[in-house]
Amino acid sequence: TEPVSSECLGNLLRIMLSAEYFENKYLSLSVVDQSGTAWELDEAMAAQCGYTVTYSTWGSIEFRASALSCHSHLEKDVFTVTIQIKASPTSDMSNATIHLKSASCHHGPWSPRELICGSNYMEVSLRREVPQTIKDFVQDEPEDWALIFPEAKAEEASIWQIVFHQPEEKRALLVSNAWSAGYGLNTTDSRVLLRVPFTAAQVQLVKDQGITFSVLRSSTFYKYQWVILMVDTAVACPVDGVDYANKTITWTFPKYIPPLSAGVTSFKDVLVEAGVDLHKLSAKEMASRKYMLLNELNAITMKIPVGAEGGYYKTSVSNGQLGAKYSINLFLEHQWEDNKWGLTKHTIIKEIETPFEKAEVAITNNLNLSARLMNVTVGTFLPDVELVNLTIEGVAVAVPEAVQHGYLIHRTRYTNGSKAYIIQVPLDVPSVKKEYMREAMRAYTLNVTLTFITHPSSETFVIPVIALSAVKDAVLPSARGFCDGRNLHLIISHGNVDQNWLPFISDWHLTPEGAQKYNYSLRDNGTHLAISVPFLSSHVNYEGFHTSAIKASFYLTLKDGVTLARRRDFSISCIFSPSELIQCLPNGTVIITAIKLVGDEDLDTALLVLRDRQCKPSLVTEKTATFKFNVNTCGTSRKFNSTTMTYENEVLYFRPGNDTPIYQLKFLCSYAVDQRVDVRYESKNPPPSIKPEFGCLALSLKLLKEKSYSEAYQESEYPVVKYLREALYFEVELLQPKDARLDLNLDDCWATNSQSQDSLPQWHILIHGCENNKDSYRTVFHKVNYSPRVKFPQHLKRFEVRMFAFVQGTSLLQE
């Protein structure tokens, strides 16, 4: 397609600028006169000189010029117009490219009176009549018009002044003043022309036959040789007369317009023709488009279905709402004869636009699951719409910059000229909200606001886009748990849905501050959430109690951080020894903790007592009661045999007014009896002897990382993963008492497959202080030397064991 093309339409020339070629460019139009001077075009100059610039179908720019425009070059029956187009990528018109377009057209035979009603001006041109007596007159001396009428030009034929007929007065303007007021005046060898902008001060609005007209009544005086002649240059153009009903445009135009018929006594229709875009249509063409042209007695009526061929829809915005208007550029030519003017040709160019009609925008989301890509199609839109920016999480982002946020914008065009925008967004960009739905489903929500602009009106509107995709890709958090002698541990591996989930124990939100208050451990490294609670704590449930075991459970719930909806439940249950509940101290003090089992919710731990009901708990929680007393008090009984002294008591719970306990926890403490042996001495310096004594020892067993025994594994690093036959370095230490006279000796050491030291199977590592002869990889002892960390080497034993696993046949035994 050429960037600039032209077309001749009777007494009008049309030049079209390609919308595609000049897209996204700033334009400046100028008209070039015969001397080559370019006159930049603006609205006032266009109306005064007979030019019209319109944006026609979907962005194409159209320039129209009258045959008698200011800068037309007339030669016989041909008029030539030259325009200059500057196109620049920037508004300051720098680096502009210049296009020159010159076009010539043949104009048809002139009627005695021709009237044109354009979109921005009215024009009347009249045949210049010169009486025969003046034509035959011969002047002896050159005339000097400047002496008589200084305002009159010295040319042979020129307009001198124009008189406006207004209801209150007549007003005369000389040519220079009329030109300054915006009027266009011109004479040729055969015609006198007056061009009037619709905005001119002397234009009146007159209503006739229900139709409003813009009217200018005037007489134009022009000079011919030495004579002043006058012509009636009245002009009238319809302003309204358009109705919209039942999806039909009805345009009514009266035949007889009083300002144009002054002094007329006879009237005869000669021709009525109509068309679109200045192209006349035959009756057959009109019928194919469902147009109707009615030539009635007093009026001409044209009916056009909304949306019919020849018009086009353009985008419109009303109160921020997107809509459309149907636009069609009709023209009507009416020729008649009367007894005053002879033949008059009246051409009306009427740009009709229907009222605003709201439009809905389709938004389609097509998920590309394999590429994890949301494809959102927004539209369709008319070609005069352009996407300029996106608002992502409250920040406006221009279309070229959207790719930096992970957004790819594509524009697709359809064969009918409309277009749509496709937004491609990866599911994993931060601005796409992710929300867990159910089972393995996640909801991905794209929430972005698109801002559009219309051309050439520069109206803006926004379209919120909310696209939802459900994807089966949720990874739920999982957990593993274990127990040591005193604590329950729960380690939760995060999934991809629980970033905003919160840990709850029942309805209590477990925070780091709350965990510290209860002496719990709560750690989150981003991939794992680790929770440790003591066996005796307020949030452990005791679900079974036997003489050899207590079943304790810890329950944790993950809830949605916004809605607090229950998302995931975890628990860990372990068997603890009842010995964890009691301490028998060497000085005869007993500390016993009674626990409330699940199902005993109505039991008040504060009301628990010992056999002597005056002995009440010293520490009470919702689920435990702790007593501290001496074996000689609180109704404690005792039994004696040759080696031990056993003390026995009970924790009891009585309902008010009832002497039969509904809760009974029996416990006992056994102490070894001191044995004395008489020894005869036969030497004055006998060797030292070892006597059995009653005492309390504190020992520790540690797993070290290296043979240097410099760093032990911490509690948070368990369980430790090792390969088979990899060395394990153990250290046993006597912590209390710190007595240099004591030596630590190991007797038996064995490994089990569970936390319980009595469970089976078992494998002996040391037997009576020696390595196990049946072991393929025997235990290796390491010497302990004095160091800043080791004050008493005799209090430590170090040995090395090769990693092994319990098997049964060819199967690995697991707990």
Side-chain angles (χ1 to χ4, degrees), residues 535-605:
F535 161 62
L536 293 174
S537 62
S538 299
H539 299 99
V540 171
N541 292 333
Y542 306 103
E543 298 174 346
F545 196 156
H546 303 282
T547 55
S548 61
I550 300 172
K551 182 181 179 182
S553 298
F554 174 65
Y555 295 89
L556 187 81
T557 299
L558 295 182
K559 295 185 179 182
D560 189 285
V562 178
T563 65
L564 296 183
R566 197 183 192 102
R567 295 300 190 192
R568 198 86 166 131
D569 294 314
F570 299 105
S571 66
I572 172 67
S573 297
C574 291
I575 302 299
F576 288 86
S577 170
S579 62
E580 296 292 333
L581 302 179
I582 189 167
Q583 296 181 61
C584 302
L585 301 183
N587 62 0
T589 300
V590 177
I591 302 174
I592 177 71
T593 299
I595 57 176
K596 180 168 72 173
L597 297 178
V598 173
D600 293 339
E601 280 74 12
D602 59 344
L603 187 148
D604 185 353
T605 54

Side-chain angles (χ1 to χ4, degrees), residues 277-410:
D277 290 331
L278 298 177
H279 289 279
K280 294 180 181 179
L281 297 177
S282 66
K284 184 178 179 180
E285 289 172 320
M286 286 196 182
S288 70
R289 299 183 181 196
K290 298 183 180 180
Y291 294 3
M292 290 181 63
L293 180 63
L294 305 174
N295 186 4
E296 298 171 323
L297 180 63
N298 296 315
I300 301 167
T301 302
M302 197 169 183
K303 293 188 176 183
I304 309 292
V306 173
E309 180 186 352
Y312 65 96
Y313 284 97
K314 63 181 181 180
T315 304
S316 181
V317 180
S318 177
N319 297 323
Q321 292 290 318
L322 173 65
K325 295 180 180 180
Y326 175 74
S327 182
I328 189 167
N329 191 15
L330 299 175
F331 90 97
L332 180 70
E333 183 180 301
H334 180 209
Q335 297 185 29
W336 73 85
E337 288 182 344
D338 58 46
N339 62 318
K340 179 178 179 182
W341 293 99
L343 185 64
T344 296
K345 182 166 75 171
H346 198 179
T347 301
I348 304 101
I349 302 169
K350 188 73 172 176
E351 295 180 5
I352 295 176
E353 191 176 85
T354 59
F356 173 86
E357 188 171 340
K358 185 179 177 182
E360 298 296 333
V361 178
I363 300 174
T364 307
N365 179 21
N366 295 308
L367 176 66
N368 185 341
L369 190 56
S370 60
R372 292 185 59 78
L373 203 64
M374 295 179 82
N375 285 284
V376 181
T377 302
V378 183
T380 58
F381 299 101
L382 296 174
D384 55 359
V385 168
E386 180 188 2
L387 175 64
V388 289
N389 67 43
L390 303 83
T391 301
I392 303 170
E393 294 186 311
V395 178
V397 178
V399 170
E401 300 169 3
V403 67
Q404 300 173 16
H405 297 259
Y407 289 65
L408 294 176
I409 313 295
H410 304 283

Side-chain angles (χ1 to χ4, degrees), residues 128 130 134-135 156-157 222-229:
R128 207 172 56 163
V130 180
I134 298 176
K135 288 181 180 179
E156 181 181 344
Y222 66 96
K223 157 182 105 58
Y224 182 80
Q225 295 181 0
W226 53 275
V227 177
I228 297 294
L229 300 174

